[in-house]
Amino acid sequence: MKKKAYIETYGCQMNVNDTEVIFSILADAGYERTEKMEEADLVMANTCSIRDNAEQRIWGRIEVFHQLRKAKPGLIVGIVGCMAERLKDKLLDTHKVDLVVGPDAYRSLPRLLDAIGPDSPQIDVFLSRDETYADITPVRTDRNGISAFISIMRGCNNVCSYCVVPYTRGAERSRDAASIVREACDVYQKGYKEVTLLGQNVDSYLWKSGTETVTFAGLLEKVAGIAPDLRVRFATSHPKDISDEVIYTMARHKNICKHIHLPVQSGSSRMLEIMRRKYDREWYLERVAKIREVMPDCGLTTDVIAGFCTETLQDHEDTLSLMETVGFDWAFMFAYSDRPGTLANRTMKDDVPADEKNRRLNEIIQLQNRKSLERYRAQIGRKVEVLIEGPSKRDPGMLCGRASNNMMCVFPAQGRSAGTYTEVEVTDCTSATLICK
Ligand code: SAH
Ligand code: SF4
Ligand code: F3S
């Protein structure tokens, strides 16, 4: 009988795709996927280190896994992903897990699993310069078979001073363009209607083979060319790198969705400088203006950090005014969390008190909620094409699906089914959903 593996995934979309890669590798070691923790022979968490609260949650899960192991001797408890990379031995020595594997070492899982014994936990946190898992076909874990994640690169070469990712994921490397196109064709043939190309900074994607050089714009072109009814999305774009060529390529192809996630982090040029983002407020606003000039209906979303080291009230006001000026559709908003080992942690003081960080964060959230409602309201009366994802979570009598600009739409089913396109008219909205007929 096959053994069963259960994996909980935390963190970004790249981690979701990594879990799919892990299931594929585990299949070679005789494990099949289960969604029931109780029936598993191997339980793992694919972890995230981006903020302290992300790690705190996982310490709690490890306790739960240990309880399970007490009741089921022989159960293997594994920690993989960014926290495995960052905390290595602490997980083995203090927290007594059986298996610790970093983001570039998943190919060694079968060997490590073989070697695990009652007193011999296993670890591999080697960071690679060239691993992209290009030849591995991920075991899809999405529920509807409509939208698939495809990683196009790994790691990150930017060293934003607050960020732990370069340390947990290693250097940036791009994946073979042909293998990306092959994977996209493969999911399309399996009935998928949407692919999301993933990387920490997709704009710096670069693949060279022989005489051919493929940039991110070139890759978009190739993937968009697979089929007119295969939607293409991507994340994340970096404001310093998003090129006119990418913007024009998006505009040229109807099936490249008109949505850009463009994390700004702060509206203050002084903050951006010490965050080492390598752009300033003016540069960011110019990129937004260019996007809107070429694609007036493009959805625009962002990430914002409140209370980074030395942030003054004026810096904070600059963030609020930038958000007011741009009018994002929505945003991920965070209080700054000091991460051990980062440049900020080593050389700057985390000097904005916690309650002040939270006060600023709340102001940012309130402003964004107001802006989101404005942006969604502006859609009322429009007709948009949606890719139907399935029944709406709130009201199973209704269907839901995203517009090209990534806004979620709900509408009456009327005999239509998931995985098809339909045109709907926006009649009402909340700050996160378009209500349509
Ligand atoms: N590669 C992407 C972001 C990846 S991390 C980019 O460059 O934009 C996702 C988001 O987490 C970041 O955009 C940032 O807003 C947030 N983040 C990263 N480190 C953080 C920290 N130490 N404290 C709070 N938020 C952080
Ligand atoms: Fe982190 Fe900056 Fe790389 Fe994004 S670009 S992953 S924020 S270091
Ligand atoms: Fe978290 Fe690692 Fe992604 S730190 S955000 S899981 S790259």
Side-chain angles (χ1 to χ4, degrees):
M1 212 177 71
K2 281 209 163 189
K3 289 174 284 185
K4 289 190 164 60
Y6 166 86
I7 307 181
E8 287 180 5
T9 307
Y10 299 87
C12 58
Q13 292 173 328
M14 262 161 278
N15 249 17
V16 175
N17 190 225
D18 277 6
T19 293
E20 300 180 323
V21 166
I22 294 170
F23 275 124
S24 177
I25 294 169
L26 286 176
D28 298 337
Y31 284 88
E32 65 184 8
R33 176 179 176 225
T34 175
E35 291 186 70
K36 296 196 195 95
M37 184 164 91
E38 298 72 27
E39 64 174 35
D41 305 286
L42 166 64
V43 295
M44 299 208 283
N46 188 1
T47 58
C48 176
S49 286
I50 200 82
R51 285 167 292 275
D52 184 57
N53 56 12
E55 291 191 346
Q56 293 309 326
R57 251 173 94 193
I58 288 155
W59 293 127
R61 291 310 292 164
I62 294 177
E63 285 316 303
V64 172
F65 294 168
H66 281 331
Q67 292 301 325
L68 207 65
R69 191 169 60 181
K70 261 190 209 146
K72 189 175 180 181
L75 175 73
I76 298 172
V77 173
I79 297 298
V80 302
C82 290
M83 210 172 151
E85 193 64 47
R86 199 178 86 70
L87 295 166
K88 307 174 171 87
D89 302 327
K90 181 177 176 193
L91 285 159
L92 289 187
D93 300 342
T94 322
H95 293 268
K96 306 285 176 210
V97 305
D98 304 299
L99 182 66
V100 174
V101 187
D104 284 347
Y106 298 143
R107 283 184 205 265
S108 37
L109 277 166
R111 176 175 56 79
L112 299 173
L113 284 165
D114 247 4
I116 286 176
D119 295 310
S120 50
Q122 299 292 317
I123 179 165
D124 188 346
V125 288
F126 177 72
L127 280 177
S128 156
R129 297 187 62 86
D130 49 22
E131 177 64 271
T132 59
Y133 301 111
D135 56 315
I136 291 178
T137 307
V139 173
R140 303 284 159 197
T141 57
D142 59 280
R143 277 163 208 268
N144 56 18
I146 292 165
S147 182
F149 290 140
I150 301 185
S151 294
I152 63 165
M153 58 206 298
R154 299 183 69 83
C156 183
N157 276 1
N158 299 305
V159 228
C160 302
S161 56
Y162 51 81
C163 184
V164 79
V165 170
Y167 307 93
T168 62
R169 296 246 159 190
E172 177 188 291
R173 65 224 96 121
S174 294
R175 174 179 169 188
D176 180 346
S179 80
I180 297 168
V181 174
R182 218 179 299 127
E183 188 171 330
C185 286
D186 181 57
V187 295
Y188 179 67
Q189 267 155 20
K190 289 184 175 133
Y192 283 79
K193 290 288 160 56
E194 183 173 84
V195 292
T196 304
L197 308 179
L198 298 176
Q200 290 296 356
N201 176 2
V202 290
D203 303 288
S204 65
Y205 175 87
L206 193 66
W207 178 256
K208 288 188 183 137
S209 98
T211 55
E212 196 194 21
T213 299
V214 185
T215 61
F216 182 56
L219 182 71
L220 273 179
E221 190 90 49
K222 283 176 190 278
V223 178
I226 291 172
D229 65 337
L230 179 68
R231 274 186 170 185
V232 185
R233 296 186 182 276
F234 56 88
T236 303
S237 301
H238 197 301
K240 81 176 162 68
D241 293 320
I242 186 165
S243 64
D244 288 356
E245 208 194 340
V246 165
I247 297 169
Y248 287 122
T249 305
M250 288 177 74
R252 257 200 320 276
H253 294 271
K254 181 169 179 273
N255 61 332
I256 303 181
C257 290
K258 304 297 177 281
H259 169 233
I260 300 178
H261 185 62
L262 198 65
V264 67
Q265 315 301 359
S266 170
S268 151
S269 292
R270 189 184 77 83
M271 281 289 105
L272 290 168
E273 166 88 40
I274 63 173
M275 286 174 161
R276 306 228 167 175
R277 290 290 284 177
K278 303 194 180 94
Y279 56 86
D280 59 11
R281 179 187 174 98
E282 286 65 41
W283 174 277
Y284 188 89
L285 291 174
E286 187 282 326
R287 289 289 77 192
V288 170
K290 183 74 193 180
I291 292 164
R292 290 198 166 146
E293 174 205 320
V294 179
M295 299 177 288
D297 294 330
C298 190
L300 207 56
T301 56
T302 201
D303 296 348
V304 179
I305 299 177
F308 183 60
C309 307
T310 76
E311 188 186 74
T312 62
L313 281 177
Q314 183 56 52
D315 295 318
H316 171 60
E317 288 298 326
D318 288 350
T319 297
L320 295 174
S321 78
L322 180 130
M323 295 174 75
E324 188 72 58
T325 305
V326 174
F328 296 105
D329 299 342
W330 52 263
F332 289 118
M333 298 158 281
F334 314 102
Y336 170 59
S337 166
D338 185 20
R339 307 310 294 130
T342 58
L343 190 73
N345 172 264
R346 284 180 280 123
T347 64
M348 295 172 221
K349 232 175 116 195
D350 180 12
D351 57 356
V352 180
D355 42 349
E356 176 60 12
K357 270 184 201 166
N358 286 323
R359 190 194 67 79
R360 293 181 194 177
L361 177 62
N362 282 327
E363 262 181 25
I364 289 171
I365 293 172
Q366 274 178 18
L367 171 80
Q368 183 51 46
N369 285 345
R370 177 166 59 76
K371 281 284 162 186
S372 293
L373 192 58
E374 265 175 37
R375 297 282 304 167
Y376 278 68
R377 275 208 185 119
Q379 302 286 320
I380 293 176
R382 293 201 186 178
K383 290 195 170 118
V384 295
E385 187 184 58
V386 297
L387 170 59
I388 304 176
E389 290 178 15
S392 149
K393 274 189 204 107
R394 285 253 179 90
D395 178 356
M398 305 274 274
L399 289 174
C400 69
R402 283 175 197 282
S404 175
N405 70 3
N406 212 34
M407 288 183 181
M408 185 54 93
C409 302
V410 298
F411 43 91
Q414 294 183 330
R416 291 190 173 78
S417 56
T420 61
Y421 291 93
T422 187
E423 193 180 71
V424 295
E425 187 184 327
V426 184
T427 55
D428 198 1
C429 73
T430 68
S431 62
T433 312
L434 298 177
I435 297 155
C436 310
K437 65 176 187 193

